[in-house]
Amino acid sequence: MSDSLAVLKGDNNISLTVNGESISERVPVRRNLADFLRLDLGLTGTHVGCEHGVCGACTVRLDDKIVRSCLILAIQADGKRVDTIEGLSDDGHLEDLQAAFHARNGLQCGFCTPGILLTAAELIETHPDADREKIREFLSGNYCRCTGYHAIVDAIESVVHSRQKKRAI
Amino acid sequence: MSSHSENRWVLDRPNSYIGRSVPRPNAKRLLEGRGHFVDDIVLPRMLNVVFVRSPYAHARILSIDTTAAQSYPGIVAVVTGAQLAERHEPWVGVLKHLQGIVSPPQYAMAVEKACWQGEAVVAILAKTRAEGEDAAESVQIRWQELPVVADAKTALDPDTPVIHDSLENNLCWERNFAAGDVDQAFETAAVVVEETFDIGRHTGVTVEPRSIVADYQPGEGKLTVYQSTQAPHMMQNVFAKHLGMNEGDVRVVTKDVGGSFGIKVHVYADEFAAVALSKMFQRPVKFIADRLESFVTDIHAREHLVKARMGVSKDGKIQALEFDDLTGIGPYSMYPRTSGIEANQIVNLTGGAYRIENYKAATKVVFQNKNVMCQYRAVGHPVACLIAEGLIDEAARQLQMDPVDIRRTNLYPDDSYPCKSITGMAFENLSHIQSLDKLIDMMDYDSLRQEQSELRKQGIYRGIGLATFIEVTNPSPMFYGVGGAAISAQDGCTLRLDAKGNVFCATGVTEQGQGTETVIAQIVATSVGVAMENVRVITGDTEVTPYGGGTWASRGCGIAGEAAGQAGRVLRENILDVAGVILQTESTALDIQNGNIVDGADGDVLTTLEEVARVAYYRPDTFPEDFQSELVVTRHYVPRDYPFAFTNGIQASYLEVDNETGLIKLLKHWCVEDCGTIINPQLVDEQIRGGIVQGLGAALFEHCIYDAEGQLQNGTMADYLVPMATELPDIDCAHVVSMTRSSELGAKGAGEAGTAGAPAAVMNALNDALTPFNARVTAVPLTPQKILEALGTLSP
Amino acid sequence: MKAAAFNYMQPKTVDEALGCLEQLGSDATILAGGQSLMASLNMRLSNPAVLIDINAIDELNGISVVEGRLRIGAMTRLAELEYSPLVSQHAPLITMVMPHIAHPAIRNRGTIGGSIAFADPAAELPACLVALNGQVVAQGPNGERRIVATEFFQDLFETALTDNELLTAIEIPMANENQRFGFRELARRHGDYAMVGLCASSDWSSDNLTELRLAYFNVGPRPVLAEQTASDICRIWPQVRNEMSLDQLESELDPADDLNASSAMRVHLAKVLTRRVIEEWLS
């Protein structure tokens, strides 16, 4: 075995980019990314709903792809780029989705909303012509208890249409 | 000031927000992930509590050894149930108006024995949750397993062990009601349909789990509790009472709540333990129920076995309705609302949409060694609806009558009101027939029947199911207060004109995402005469808001909204008094519109609110000596003339069932609902939709499955099936408006209607689809397994 | 819940990873996509001493055609498989199956190697591999070996991999134009583990159906290749509509009861799925 391969125990240093900012923190090996964002960085917009990877409330972007932050160790994010709801809000990435959700009331309690917005953003990026069925299918891993999804589908559909219109111009 | 209304002043206001689908101002922060949920709170020296929970449904605690746990890193203290019991008074979940209800005292953690799998037994206070869980594994508990009562059907058998030594048997409560002569009516009925409805217990699964941070501050002897709850004042009372504190020294703060649906309106033993521990150790304690804990401790609901029958004439007129209900709750009746209310509602409300003259209902509420059970959205209505709507559809089938026609024959005609149901429910004004007509039109019923018939020939089986329902909203003290509960049915609103002309509003109801704050702001802005942007609504702080009931039983708009409207009118008058003095005019000749003081006749702007406030606050020396401005107004409201403001509605489900696999595809759902005046149409429709989906989940997927040893078999998000986006149809909503005269606003409530009717609509649609096979399913959830058994493909 | 404590290593090469396994033996657990393992750790259902994170091993990535076989690196993310033109061209059955596996965020992290090595009997990819007669490529201290799928899945969560071996790639014979594929599963909700599922592949030449492989999942502790049923179908082909009896499935499948479906129901559903796949091929 290579002598240079370290065994990490206890707390370890990690360096990563979070919402465009360089972060260096010391974290327990076992701490997952969701807890790291919430406890160590105070970014509480990423919510913990189950810790099984099922509800989607903890969804963040890791190197530009949506993932369940409860199923990733913070140390696995070392050297990577994480974007959370706060960062993607502030840089305008979610602007049209947020406006559509607001107008259509595509949220009630707001607990699932960050995960839903990030998922919706990836949906429209990967499937720019998604229809309602595709929207529901892509969202099938995000649990919302308040809305029953209809308003969410409406909101996302309206963004699909408005982006289609912009592309057509 | 009387609230009775021939006078609907608020609805005639200019620039009114009433009836406008205004987007929610407080949604913006939620969209940015900048909400304020309890788990976001971090306080200095805060500890996390981890509970060691009973792995057994029923077991005596012989000994607890916490020495190993105490030496784990990050552990500050380990406390047993017996130790904590010395620090608080137990509670008993009974109310006087449920005659004969019994329940033994319950402590925050199990003391002598654990009575359900998941009951908290030992509390570990740790720096982090992870460290607490590490230590939890080393707590040594010696248990003596006791026989488990896990079947409601045998809970009252003589040889079934009695769970509580202090009680004679496992009966929590029973109620028998009879009116008319059912036996005679059944004898002469042309058709008698009998059915057994077996509803599986299910639960709320709020995305934000139960969350609490208790902060006892020794310097002041004051307790502040940040809690994800629906009823902060009720909790304030409970914490003070059971911790032996002065209520004035207890403050409950509720900010953003990630879904509640009734789950978070109850007193939970583990949450109370967290509060007691904060007081004991004099530092902040946080408890967040994780998802695994939630499934075994969040209240379950709706476990009912109902044997029912309905007698109808050859014309389809209901002659009699009778049922026997058995419901298995947990080992304790929940506090302070009791676990008897759901059964009580079922007795009161089954068949309530129909004129019935012979009615007999019996219910037995029995203790079990399973998780506790209590009120969850629509409380009892979904079961009541399943019974009545299931029976009436079967009667229609046997009479070869269309389900629409049989309902039309039996629904209260729209000119029946006011009247009372056979169980004494007072109806002010409902619109069953108008709603039915609207629904049939909206869904194009005849075309769907046509489509169903054609597809049947191709071996494709679709079904249409209807469900009419009534729904309790705006409850008076008849619901809880008369039983001795410290639960307020009244509510209040305080309005204050600030120095810059903004209106600050504090209300006793709370927000969990339904839009309470928005709707109140709409009413205040309308009644005072300002733009909504200039109204700030504060909820959920017992230190700041008027004493109120919180949000439950769909009371927010109808009760707190009325208080807000009345407060707004009076504030407006007071402001105009000041304006009148400043402008040297009669205040009655003035109005407030758009934040300006205007001429009441022609709307000319005379001055601004900001100017009025400036003079009142900074230059009162310019007023006549006998004039004092009063720019803070509080008004309270409670419905007085009706115990509940009943609403009505009707839903329809259109689905397709695969007769080879038993899988159901929900194609579409409709709801026509009448909640009186609608303040914000979009928010009301979204409440209907969200409520419907909870009902759809219950109809097809959700079931807390226990084995004979009282072990929950499916307590994870992977195994307990909640409805997700692909399983659900679009939902069309429409309304009829029958305003209540109990208030100026005329608004009833809307939050629970969707859940009341959805399961019955789906069950009826399924059974309609299965008609060619002569198969029926009346066990909910309607699973593929049950459907294949009903079809005879599988043997049960 | 929060995971119990463990140690962590992140090898950069297959050799380093093998070195870890050699040194740690059963104390080591491989962390690939983590979509199953992390959930299990979060529930404290497992308590490994050391996690060997193989996400940084570049050699485990990549989809390519090698010696007439489609070779997919173990760490290939399910999302990459889903959208890969090479996969849809050479192993279209995998493309058909992908949208049914969990949900997009899970597929962004989950890997084919992880799914195959974990061998959840309710998972799609192991059955897919069996239907395609694929092979698992494993590396150990004694070098590389190939294990054919039907021998790889041995029992409930048990595979032919030894403690000191690492699954490095999956190899699949490339599809030819005579082949047909079929996939059906029945789940309570989209993306859930299926109550029962079927991955099927067959060879069509003129009027004959040959090489029919019916691989069922969630019908026992491992995917089941129903050889008797398949050969019966081939024998009576194409008169399957009236003459196809699937009673042999009752003896070839031995599913357990669970909360969603009884054993008898699973067998029944397996028959339904079989008929539907065949029906699709016929039309």
Side-chain angles (χ1 to χ4, degrees):
Chain A
M1 167 170 156
S2 163
D3 293 319
S4 61
L5 187 58
V7 180
L8 303 188
K9 317 174 187 216
D11 292 353
N12 284 274
N13 296 325
I14 57 172
S15 298
L16 64 158
T17 306
V18 179
N19 296 332
E21 190 184 323
S22 292
I23 299 286
S24 285
E25 288 285 332
R26 198 160 170 75
V27 296
V29 167
R30 61 163 156 176
R31 181 164 292 175
N32 65 46
L33 182 59
D35 286 343
F36 168 70
L37 292 168
R38 294 180 55 80
L39 296 174
D40 296 281
L41 302 186
L43 288 167
T44 55
T46 300
H47 299 142
V48 174
C50 73
E51 300 182 306
H52 316 350
V54 172
C55 75
C58 69
T59 305
V60 299
R61 282 167 98 119
L62 181 67
D63 284 350
D64 295 320
K65 289 255 163 242
I66 54 168
V67 295
R68 311 287 207 213
S69 60
C70 71
L71 298 183
I72 296 186
L73 298 172
I75 52 175
Q76 288 187 291
D78 183 45
K80 297 198 187 299
R81 183 195 166 87
V82 175
D83 292 286
T84 71
I85 178 71
E86 293 96 333
L88 295 167
S89 272
D90 292 346
D91 69 15
H93 200 94
L94 299 171
E95 200 177 333
D96 55 353
L97 277 168
Q98 287 165 319
F101 271 62
H102 199 182
R104 182 60 193 84
N105 208 56
L107 72 156
Q108 290 183 26
C109 79
F111 204 77
C112 74
T113 307
I116 296 241
L117 285 172
L118 266 66
T119 303
E122 183 161 304
L123 159 68
I124 307 183
E125 279 156 26
T126 54
H127 299 82
D129 298 313
D131 61 8
R132 289 180 81 84
E133 197 184 314
K134 187 70 193 173
I135 292 171
R136 283 185 181 272
E137 185 193 303
F138 204 90
L139 278 182
S140 62
N142 290 77
Y143 174 48
C144 173
R145 190 50 141 176
C146 295
T147 67
Y149 308 99
H150 185 142
I152 293 175
V153 177
D154 282 354
I156 296 173
E157 186 184 41
S158 74
V159 175
V160 167
H161 289 164
S162 68
R163 288 194 196 178
Q164 280 170 338
K165 277 203 194 89
K166 281 204 195 99
R167 283 199 300 276
I169 293 171
Chain B
M1 170 110 201
S2 166
S3 60
H4 283 269
S5 291
E6 271 66 37
N7 166 17
R8 299 218 185 255
W9 172 86
V10 67
L11 297 181
D12 288 331
R13 292 289 289 145
N15 303 320
S16 174
Y17 286 95
I18 310 296
R20 285 176 47 187
S21 292
V22 180
R24 295 163 48 213
N26 61 357
K28 180 173 177 294
R29 66 169 187 273
L30 298 172
L31 285 161
E32 294 178 15
R34 291 183 163 119
H36 308 289
F37 297 94
V38 170
D39 194 25
D40 302 342
I41 296 172
V42 176
L43 296 177
R45 302 188 72 240
M46 186 176 80
L47 297 173
N48 287 273
V49 59
V50 172
F51 292 102
V52 177
R53 297 183 178 278
S54 171
Y56 301 111
H58 197 197
R60 190 171 310 282
I61 299 166
L62 297 176
S63 67
I64 303 179
D65 185 354
T66 62
T67 30
Q70 288 176 48
S71 64
Y72 267 65
I75 303 309
V76 168
V78 184
V79 180
T80 66
Q83 289 168 332
L84 198 61
E86 292 163 18
R87 305 240 169 198
H88 71 93
E89 288 302 306
W91 52 82
V92 183
V94 298
L95 288 175
K96 290 196 292 274
H97 65 318
L98 298 182
Q99 282 173 13
I101 189 169
V102 296
S103 186
Q106 184 183 5
Y107 286 91
M109 293 196 288
V111 179
E112 283 173 24
K113 61 175 187 172
C115 293
W116 84 89
Q117 177 216 13
E119 184 175 6
V121 180
V122 173
I124 299 178
L125 289 173
K127 300 270 177 61
T128 63
R129 172 104 195 188
E131 288 169 308
E133 291 183 11
D134 292 343
E137 289 174 354
S138 76
V139 171
Q140 307 283 339
I141 305 180
R142 273 178 52 242
W143 295 97
Q144 177 195 14
E145 286 184 66
L146 299 171
V148 170
V149 178
D151 185 353
K153 296 193 290 295
T154 54
L156 297 178
D157 287 359
D159 45 348
T160 298
V162 177
I163 298 173
H164 300 295
D165 298 331
S166 57
L167 300 178
E168 277 176 39
N169 53 33
N170 291 319
L171 183 68
C172 171
W173 185 58
E174 66 179 326
R175 183 178 169 204
N176 296 289
F177 178 90
D181 187 344
V182 290
D183 292 329
Q184 167 71 11
F186 277 116
E187 242 164 77
T188 54
V191 166
V192 175
V193 298
E194 283 189 39
E195 202 61 81
T196 299
F197 298 95
D198 186 351
I199 296 109
R201 54 163 60 196
H202 46 284
T203 186
V205 200
T206 56
V207 189
E208 180 207 28
R210 294 184 298 106
S211 308
I212 193 166
V213 170
D215 182 15
Y216 180 81
Q217 303 205 319
E220 293 179 275
K222 202 172 127 153
L223 173 67
T224 303
V225 181
Y226 304 89
Q227 189 176 14
S228 184
T229 179
Q230 297 168 225
H233 285 103
M234 186 191 87
M235 293 300 177
Q236 175 193 36
N237 167 274
V238 165
F239 295 139
K241 181 169 166 188
H242 294 276
L243 289 173
M245 289 180 69
N246 187 323
E247 206 168 293
D249 292 328
V250 177
R251 175 185 185 187
V252 178
V253 177
T254 299
K255 297 188 178 181
D256 289 318
V257 172
S260 54
F261 321 112
I263 303 299
K264 294 175 181 173
V265 80
H266 304 288
V267 172
Y268 286 91
D270 51 17
E271 288 178 36
F272 186 89
V275 180
L277 289 165
S278 175
K279 182 160 182 284
M280 185 172 168
F281 290 91
Q282 311 208 332
R283 57 199 283 191
V285 171
K286 172 185 271 190
F287 169 58
I288 310 293
D290 75 17
R291 188 53 60 186
L292 300 178
E293 290 179 290
S294 298
F295 278 114
V296 290
T297 55
D298 286 1
I299 52 117
H300 293 174
R302 319 209 223 282
E303 176 183 325
H304 288 264
L305 183 63
V306 188
K307 296 186 166 63
R309 58 179 184 149
M310 179 185 273
V312 294
S313 70
K314 63 174 168 42
D315 304 320
K317 193 96 184 59
I318 298 172
Q319 303 299 298
L321 173 57
E322 175 177 9
F323 66 86
D324 233 285
D325 170 58
L326 174 67
T327 175
I329 58 172
Y332 298 100
S333 170
M334 282 300 269
Y335 179 72
R337 293 169 192 257
T338 86
S339 300
I341 296 289
E342 184 177 283
N344 199 37
Q345 290 284 73
I346 293 168
V347 170
N348 281 340
L349 304 172
T350 301
Y354 306 115
R355 266 204 299 222
I356 298 177
E357 278 158 33
N358 303 293
Y359 181 85
K360 190 169 175 198
T363 182
K364 285 188 168 53
V365 180
V366 300
F367 294 117
Q368 299 181 102
N369 294 116
K370 292 179 184 170
N371 184 25
V372 290
M373 207 166 95
C374 209
Q375 278 80 305
Y376 167 44
R377 194 176 198 171
V379 189
H381 294 72
V383 178
C385 199
L386 280 164
I387 299 168
E389 296 302 296
L391 288 172
I392 205 173
D393 251 30
E394 180 56 19
R397 224 182 321 269
Q398 291 193 24
L399 288 171
Q400 302 197 322
M401 226 177 138
D402 188 294
V404 174
D405 294 337
I406 198 170
R407 283 172 173 82
R408 199 183 287 287
T409 304
N410 286 288
L411 288 168
Y412 281 97
D414 288 350
D415 60 2
S416 308
Y417 309 99
C419 64
K420 281 196 178 172
S421 77
I422 191 157
T423 54
M425 300 294 105
F427 300 136
E428 181 195 356
N429 55 358
L430 301 179
S431 59
H432 287 298
I433 300 294
Q434 199 183 344
S435 299
L436 173 64
D437 288 338
K438 193 155 193 170
L439 178 79
I440 298 312
D441 183 57
M442 201 171 137
M443 63 190 285
D444 200 353
Y445 183 80
D446 293 336
S447 298
L448 289 179
R449 280 290 177 208
Q450 180 97 344
E451 184 174 84
Q452 174 189 43
S453 160
E454 270 152 33
L455 288 173
R456 229 175 234 173
K457 297 177 196 145
Q458 299 170 40
I460 296 172
Y461 301 97
R462 292 195 176 173
I464 303 168
L466 301 175
T468 47
F469 59 93
I470 54 173
E471 174 63 51
V472 160
T473 75
N474 298 356
S476 70
M478 292 303 293
F479 219 149
Y480 294 113
V482 299
I487 292 171
S488 186
Q490 60 82 50
D491 230 285
C493 177
T494 299
L495 296 180
R496 178 182 78 217
L497 183 74
D498 281 350
K500 284 280 188 277
N502 295 309
V503 177
F504 165 92
C505 166
T507 172
V509 287
T510 50
E511 167 87 65
Q512 296 89 40
Q514 68 277 79
T516 308
E517 290 173 10
T518 302
V519 163
I520 298 290
Q522 286 178 256
I523 294 167
V524 168
T526 300
S527 60
V528 176
V530 299
M532 252 182 88
E533 299 84 80
N534 298 112
V535 177
R536 196 158 113 89
V537 178
I538 306 296
T539 61
D541 187 341
T542 60
E543 198 121 293
V544 170
T545 67
Y547 200 91
T551 297
W552 45 277
S554 307
R555 68 188 292 275
C557 183
I559 298 182
E562 180 67 13
Q566 293 186 19
R569 175 166 57 183
V570 177
L571 178 65
R572 174 189 164 276
E573 284 166 11
N574 289 8
I575 291 169
L576 292 180
D577 283 346
V578 178
V581 166
I582 294 170
L583 296 168
Q584 314 248 310
T585 334
E586 279 303 310
S587 64
T588 48
L590 303 170
D591 194 4
I592 307 177
Q593 291 176 20
N594 265 320
N596 294 315
I597 307 297
V598 305
D599 182 311
D602 56 31
D604 277 357
V605 176
L606 302 172
T607 184
T608 64
L609 269 188
E610 188 177 332
E611 175 60 15
V612 170
R614 183 191 73 79
V615 177
Y617 289 128
Y618 304 131
R619 296 305 313 275
D621 55 297
T622 62
F623 290 149
E625 268 187 39
D626 60 350
F627 181 82
Q628 173 60 54
S629 63
E630 292 294 358
L631 298 175
V632 180
V633 171
T634 298
R635 282 295 178 274
H636 288 82
Y637 171 75
V638 65
R640 294 305 302 273
D641 43 6
Y642 284 88
F644 311 108
F646 274 96
T647 64
N648 65 276
I650 181 167
Q651 297 186 26
S653 168
Y654 187 45
L655 58 78
E656 188 172 303
V657 59
D658 183 332
N659 61 302
E660 289 189 318
T661 65
L663 284 168
I664 288 177
K665 173 114 187 96
L666 297 174
L667 299 170
K668 194 74 185 284
H669 203 97
W670 300 261
C671 179
V672 175
E673 196 261 354
D674 184 348
C675 56
T677 305
I678 295 177
I679 311 299
N680 187 318
Q682 180 162 251
L683 293 184
V684 169
D685 282 355
E686 291 312 309
Q687 281 303 289
I688 304 288
R689 290 193 172 101
I692 285 171
V693 167
Q694 277 184 298
L696 299 179
L700 297 181
F701 298 112
E702 300 187 46
H703 191 179
C704 301
I705 302 173
Y706 276 90
D707 69 9
E709 295 307 308
Q711 299 285 314
L712 182 64
Q713 301 293 289
N714 61 340
T716 75
M717 289 298 285
D719 301 313
Y720 181 94
L721 304 177
V722 290
M724 307 294 276
T726 11
E727 280 63 55
L728 298 168
D730 282 347
I731 299 168
D732 279 357
C733 302
H735 296 275
V736 174
V737 178
S738 306
M739 300 196 298
T740 171
R741 273 188 231 70
S742 301
S743 67
E744 275 191 48
L745 269 179
K748 302 174 184 174
E752 297 168 272
T755 310
V762 174
M763 180 186 71
N764 282 347
L766 170 66
N767 290 330
D768 183 57
L770 296 180
T771 311
F773 301 96
N774 244 334
R776 272 171 80 57
V777 184
T778 52
V780 174
L782 310 157
T783 63
Q785 176 98 35
K786 287 177 193 149
I787 291 168
L788 291 178
E789 286 169 8
L791 287 168
T793 311
L794 299 172
S795 35
Chain C
M1 297 189 84
K2 307 300 176 189
F6 46 80
N7 293 342
Y8 171 94
M9 303 175 76
Q10 195 187 57
K12 301 287 186 287
T13 66
V14 171
D15 280 339
E16 276 191 345
L18 291 177
C20 296
L21 291 177
E22 196 61 46
Q23 193 197 23
L24 297 165
S26 59
D27 270 355
T29 301
I30 300 285
L31 171 61
Q35 305 302 279
S36 298
L37 179 61
M38 288 299 302
S40 163
L41 294 186
N42 287 347
M43 292 196 251
R44 296 203 177 206
L45 290 175
S46 52
N47 198 349
V50 188
L51 287 192
I52 313 294
D53 180 347
I54 58 172
N55 282 274
I57 304 179
D58 282 335
E59 311 158 55
L60 297 178
N61 294 322
I63 304 176
S64 56
V65 173
V66 175
E67 291 171 13
R69 291 189 299 271
L70 182 67
R71 184 185 167 99
I72 306 172
M75 284 304 290
T76 305
R77 306 285 175 190
L78 301 183
E80 192 185 336
L81 280 184
E82 191 178 349
Y83 296 109
S84 160
L86 274 180
V87 172
S88 69
Q89 188 185 357
H90 299 302
L93 180 59
I94 293 182
T95 311
M96 283 165 78
V97 161
M98 291 315 304
H100 295 266
I101 301 179
H103 307 285
I106 304 283
R107 297 199 292 271
N108 279 343
R109 277 305 280 181
T111 64
I112 188 167
S115 177
I116 298 297
F118 187 51
D120 190 323
E124 291 86 351
L125 285 175
C128 206
L129 199 65
V130 168
L132 294 174
N133 204 13
Q135 296 185 76
V136 170
V137 182
Q139 285 225 45
N142 302 324
E144 192 177 85
R145 67 176 178 129
R146 280 168 175 67
I147 311 151
V148 75
T150 42
E151 285 162 26
F152 182 77
F153 304 104
Q154 298 186 336
D155 208 332
L156 189 63
F157 300 112
E158 267 182 50
T159 70
L161 281 180
T162 60
D163 272 351
N164 51 11
E165 273 182 315
L166 184 68
L167 191 161
T168 53
I170 304 294
E171 288 182 347
I172 297 168
M174 284 164 48
N176 64 59
E177 65 270 10
N178 289 326
Q179 278 182 300
R180 292 279 169 88
F181 301 98
F183 168 74
R184 290 277 174 132
E185 73 170 33
L186 293 167
R188 297 290 300 277
R189 303 173 305 177
H190 177 80
D192 280 354
Y193 283 120
M195 290 186 282
V196 172
L198 170 61
C199 292
S201 78
S202 60
D203 232 281
W204 290 56
S205 323
S206 56
D207 254 343
N208 283 339
L209 187 74
T210 58
E211 303 297 328
L212 174 58
R213 295 178 72 83
L214 298 172
Y216 298 87
F217 54 99
N218 214 1
V219 291
R222 55 195 192 120
V224 174
L225 191 64
E227 296 178 293
Q228 186 62 45
T229 304
S231 83
D232 282 355
I233 292 174
C234 288
R235 191 171 35 82
I236 64 176
W237 190 269
Q239 311 304 333
V240 285
R241 275 207 183 98
N242 298 321
E243 294 175 26
M244 182 167 69
S245 147
L246 294 171
D247 291 342
Q248 299 88 319
L249 270 182
E250 285 165 30
S251 50
E252 294 198 89
L253 305 180
D254 184 24
D257 290 329
D258 76 8
L259 295 176
N260 289 316
S262 66
S263 172
M265 181 166 159
R266 290 200 141 79
V267 173
H268 164 77
L269 293 178
K271 292 185 191 175
V272 172
L273 291 185
T274 312
R275 268 189 226 107
R276 290 184 180 182
V277 167
I278 300 294
E279 195 58 46
E280 211 172 279
W281 284 345
L282 286 172
S283 57

